[in-house]
Amino acid sequence: MKISSKGRYAIESLIYLATLPNAPTQVKDIAKKTDIPQKYLEQIFFALRQANILAAKRGPSGGYYFQKSPQELTVGDIIRILEGEIIAVDCLQDKSACITMQLYESCITRALWQDISSTISDIMDSTTIAALAFQLQGGMGL
């Protein structure tokens, strides 16, 4: 499984946003501070707004802010919204993607891929945006 730039940028921008007071912040300011292209970040934030992760306020003092608390929001939540399910190989989700279809039910490696996917999901689901923001504020980045 490979996390796309969309997923990485979403996590990075939300971590930065979580270091700020929960007041509207303009995308251009977040883009400038995180060095993420503004147009791409607008698309990401639109998707996060549709998923009720972020809310938006219009006007000169407008911008995006958290609708869901960063303490409750996990990396897994964000990746699933933007990338889909967290799986190591496609055949776990789509049987037709199995390269040895006749062995699907007795596939020796399927359990391995399931364990890998589960471990990755567990790590992402136990890591909150707030925890990462706390590390950032400790001098480890932006």
Side-chain angles (χ1 to χ4, degrees):
M1 161 183 177
K2 182 178 176 183
I3 306 296
S4 72
S5 60
K6 182 187 290 186
R8 292 191 326 269
Y9 287 167
I11 299 301
E12 290 172 21
S13 61
L14 291 176
I15 291 167
Y16 172 69
L17 190 59
T19 66
L20 306 173
N22 196 28
T25 304
Q26 294 185 0
V27 172
K28 68 178 182 173
D29 296 333
I30 299 167
K32 184 176 181 180
K33 186 65 177 176
T34 59
D35 201 28
I36 297 171
Q38 182 177 336
K39 292 289 184 192
Y40 199 25
L41 195 54
E42 287 170 356
Q43 294 172 11
I44 293 167
F45 276 22
F46 179 79
L48 295 174
R49 185 171 161 238
Q50 295 296 311
N52 296 318
I53 300 299
L54 296 176
K57 179 182 174 190
R58 295 184 184 266
S61 63
Y64 285 92
Y65 58 96
F66 284 102
Q67 185 165 339
K68 184 174 181 181
S69 169
Q71 288 82 7
E72 299 172 12
L73 187 59
T74 69
V75 170
D77 295 332
I78 302 306
I79 296 303
R80 285 184 190 89
I81 289 166
L82 297 172
E83 311 261 358
E85 282 303 310
I86 300 165
I87 57 169
V89 292
D90 291 336
C91 66
L92 292 177
Q93 195 171 34
D94 178 10
K95 187 176 180 177
S96 69
C98 182
I99 56 173
T100 56
M101 192 68 160
Q102 66 275 16
L103 301 175
Y104 184 80
E105 295 305 323
S106 62
C107 179
I108 295 170
T109 58
R110 193 171 77 211
L112 171 67
W113 306 134
Q114 287 171 328
D115 287 348
I116 290 169
S117 297
S118 179
T119 300
I120 292 169
S121 288
D122 290 347
I123 292 168
M124 289 185 172
D125 291 337
S126 65
T127 305
T128 67
I129 298 299
L132 294 171
F134 180 76
Q135 289 178 8
L136 178 66
Q137 289 174 321
M140 303 176 90
L142 298 175

